[in-house]
Amino acid sequence: TVDLTAPNIGVYTPVEPTVTEDGTVMLEGAAVDKFLVSNVKVDKKSLADSPGAPRLEFNSELPLGDGENTFVVASKDVAGNEARTAVKVFKGDPNSTEAKLWLLEQKYPERMKMAMTGEVALDVLLSQTPPAAVAVNEIRVKSPDASRPYRNDNTLRVSGEVVTQTSISSLSINGQAMDSLTGAPKESFNKRIPITPESIQAGGKVKVTIEAQDAGGAKISKEVEVAIQPVLIDRPETKMPVAVLAFKGSEQLGELAQQIRTKTEGNMVGQKRFRVLERVALQEVLTEQQLSAALSNPDEALKLGKMTPAQMFLIGEVFPRGEKGVEVMARAVNTATGEVDDKVDGFVDDRSDPAALDKLCDALATELREKYPRRSGEIQAVAEKNGEKLILLDWTADDNVRPGTRFWILRPQADPFADPGTKEEVSPSDFTEAGQGVIRQLRANGAEAVVEKLIEEGTTLEKGMPAITM
């Protein structure tokens, strides 16, 4: 079982939004996860730690400064998945204009917009704003954002909070119940759901329905529809460059091993996933002697792999099985590290059957495509550290990416075609490469990557820019 769901965080106090004249506030809550919680922190200060518990309670007295105070509560499970929720408290006179303005913005943002646009006088709205928070049942959705397209083509991250007057007794996303709940009046949720052909509706949209019930039986629900628009680029130069090198067999299987290598290489080309480097491209960096060695000996191929322009190369061994059978064990090697990233293998019970061998080679190529999928996604955050450009992408292990996966960052190449009369978009904009990067590590909320190069110096990377794996 792969755990990709972060803990649920429940906050008992303070009840949001809170206005107080006190100098401190007591924070109390709990984090729960059926795969066990390891810690809870507030603003990087540890509140509770455990080697692994299904429920971890926490409490702390927090100092308040004048005006708004925001505390970020974070919890991790033993698999490293992390959830966060923000708690806001205003220190000041509950009857002051500042406190009422803050409450108006927190609880009634639509009223604040009315005041900003001049629809309703601000003093009228302030006179209607209670001096203390009025608890209401509501669902706040952080992700997905219905106002913009979603680029990931495999999983959809659904996160947010449910706030009630009492406590949350049940919570479900698209009919799937969240098993672990804290029983607090405020409950955070963070879950990734698969994007399947069945879940995509007309117009390329996916509907997310979140339903909750409080301890008194009151039900609340919220629906969000998000357009799924993965970015697909089929140009050869954007695909993962792969070299199929040595397939070794015993003396009696030597010729068959080379036949399987050639057929597998051809089937990989037919998958339209990889850019398979031909002999001519390899000869640009390898001598004829080196290339011959790499094509006949797996050990030599491992030594020479870093010299090739490929990001991954495939080497294999062919073994006899029984009187007529044969088994192929192939290794996908990362040329940057020289380490085996993955393995594929196949078997036929009659090596003299051409159709069976064709099926074997096609199965090897298909398995490689599944292990190294072409994933569409987008940038979640951008940072700079020690002179490096770092980005967080919305891929996780559930998207079948891994450290070392290389990707393209994309930008619109042209405006979309639109009907001049109705302005209706009749063709989406094209995308072109803006830069390249490599994933360094996978986190619960995304993939941390470093930008290796930009096509044009000075290109600004921003949240929401599309990305696609090589």
Side-chain angles (χ1 to χ4, degrees):
T1 300
V2 179
D3 175 22
L4 293 169
T5 299
N8 280 15
I9 302 173
V11 177
Y12 290 93
T13 61
V15 177
E16 292 187 341
T18 292
V19 176
T20 179
E21 295 181 277
D22 296 336
T24 62
V25 66
M26 181 59 71
L27 173 70
E28 294 182 359
V32 295
D33 193 303
K34 66 178 181 179
F35 289 107
L36 308 182
V37 184
S38 62
N39 65 58
V40 180
K41 296 180 179 180
V42 60
D43 296 338
K44 298 183 179 180
K45 172 190 173 184
S46 181
L47 297 185
D49 291 282
S50 169
R55 181 183 178 94
L56 199 57
E57 297 187 351
F58 58 89
N59 64 78
S60 180
E61 189 174 13
L62 304 175
L64 297 175
D66 291 338
E68 181 181 273
N69 296 262
T70 301
F71 305 100
V72 177
V73 182
S75 176
K76 283 187 178 181
D77 63 17
V78 294
N81 300 308
E82 185 179 59
R84 294 180 174 223
T85 188
V87 178
K88 293 183 179 182
V89 179
F90 188 94
K91 181 189 175 186
D93 180 359
N95 294 303
S96 67
T97 300
E98 292 79 6
K100 288 190 175 184
L101 276 171
W102 184 80
L103 280 172
L104 188 66
E105 185 176 10
Q106 299 301 309
K107 294 301 295 181
Y108 313 109
E110 69 286 350
R111 295 187 190 178
M112 180 66 83
K113 289 179 182 177
M114 292 168 64
M116 296 299 290
T117 57
E119 294 179 46
V120 180
L122 181 59
D123 57 350
V124 173
L125 292 177
L126 288 177
S127 67
Q128 298 172 354
T129 303
V134 177
V136 295
N137 291 358
E138 64 174 331
I139 297 174
R140 307 167 184 166
V141 178
K142 298 178 185 176
S143 175
D145 183 351
S147 66
R148 49 191 299 271
Y150 195 77
R151 302 298 184 187
N152 195 303
D153 60 347
N154 185 54
T155 55
L156 179 63
R157 180 170 173 262
V158 182
S159 65
E161 300 163 345
V162 182
V163 181
T164 68
Q165 299 181 51
T166 54
S167 63
I168 294 101
S169 59
S170 68
L171 173 63
S172 67
I173 299 174
N174 283 359
Q176 296 294 314
M178 300 286 284
D179 295 329
S180 303
L181 296 176
T182 64
K186 176 185 175 183
E187 189 97 32
S188 69
F189 56 88
N190 192 321
K191 186 177 179 65
R192 297 181 76 90
I193 62 175
I195 297 172
T196 63
E198 295 76 24
S199 65
I200 299 178
Q201 303 172 327
K205 292 188 174 183
V206 167
K207 181 187 290 186
V208 178
T209 302
I210 303 163
E211 297 177 312
Q213 181 172 306
D214 69 10
K219 296 180 179 180
I220 49 174
S221 65
K222 191 158 192 173
E223 285 189 352
V224 178
E225 278 194 337
V226 59
I228 306 297
Q229 295 180 6
V231 176
L232 300 175
I233 293 185
D234 203 34
R235 291 193 293 276
E237 63 270 19
T238 68
K239 298 177 182 178
M240 177 190 279
V242 174
V244 182
L245 300 180
F247 270 50
K248 183 180 179 181
S250 62
E251 186 175 342
Q252 70 179 106
L253 295 178
E255 185 176 339
L256 179 63
Q258 294 311 307
Q259 182 183 351
I260 291 173
R261 189 197 76 82
T262 303
K263 284 180 176 289
T264 302
E265 184 180 57
N267 284 327
M268 288 178 67
V269 172
Q271 293 284 343
K272 297 183 178 181
R273 163 65 187 96
F274 305 103
R275 176 161 56 98
V276 180
L277 299 178
E278 299 179 352
R279 189 183 183 96
V280 174
L282 294 174
Q283 281 179 327
E284 292 179 0
V285 292
L286 299 176
T287 66
E288 182 63 33
Q289 184 178 359
Q290 288 173 328
L291 181 57
S292 297
L295 291 173
S296 61
N297 188 325
D299 294 330
E300 289 299 315
L302 280 169
K303 293 178 186 177
L304 298 171
K306 289 186 179 182
M307 298 173 61
T308 73
Q311 289 181 20
M312 181 262 282
F313 60 86
L314 192 68
I315 57 177
E317 294 184 82
V318 180
F319 302 94
R321 293 291 183 257
E323 292 185 8
K324 295 184 178 182
V326 68
E327 183 177 7
V328 179
M329 296 184 180
R331 291 170 283 170
V333 181
N334 185 321
T335 58
T337 63
E339 297 179 353
V340 176
D341 266 354
D342 225 317
K343 299 178 182 179
V344 294
D345 102 290
F347 167 81
V348 294
D349 54 13
D350 185 357
R351 57 181 178 264
S352 64
D353 182 354
L357 288 176
D358 285 344
K359 189 174 181 181
L360 166 66
C361 296
D362 186 59
L364 293 174
T366 299
E367 190 174 354
L368 279 169
R369 184 195 67 201
E370 292 172 350
K371 288 180 179 291
Y372 294 88
R374 199 90 199 265
R375 283 281 174 254
S376 172
E378 64 181 41
I379 294 177
Q380 298 292 294
V382 180
E384 195 152 337
K385 187 176 182 181
N386 299 327
E388 289 186 319
K389 292 187 188 310
L390 303 177
I391 57 177
L392 183 71
L393 298 153
D394 65 344
W395 294 318
T396 68
D398 198 35
D399 296 309
N400 210 6
V401 297
R402 64 191 79 199
T405 296
R406 296 180 179 275
F407 58 89
W408 285 102
I409 304 163
L410 307 174
R411 59 178 173 80
Q413 187 175 23
D415 293 331
F417 292 103
D419 183 284
T422 64
K423 306 301 181 184
E424 178 187 5
E425 185 176 306
V426 293
S427 177
S429 60
D430 292 327
F431 289 88
T432 190
E433 302 85 26
Q436 289 183 14
V438 61
I439 294 175
R440 281 188 172 171
Q441 61 178 319
L442 295 176
R443 298 185 179 276
N445 58 341
E448 187 178 296
V450 61
V451 179
E452 293 190 317
K453 73 172 185 178
L454 296 173
I455 303 301
E456 297 178 5
E457 283 298 324
T459 298
T460 302
L461 302 182
E462 299 175 340
K463 179 181 177 180
M465 289 181 72
I468 189 168
T469 56
M470 288 187 182

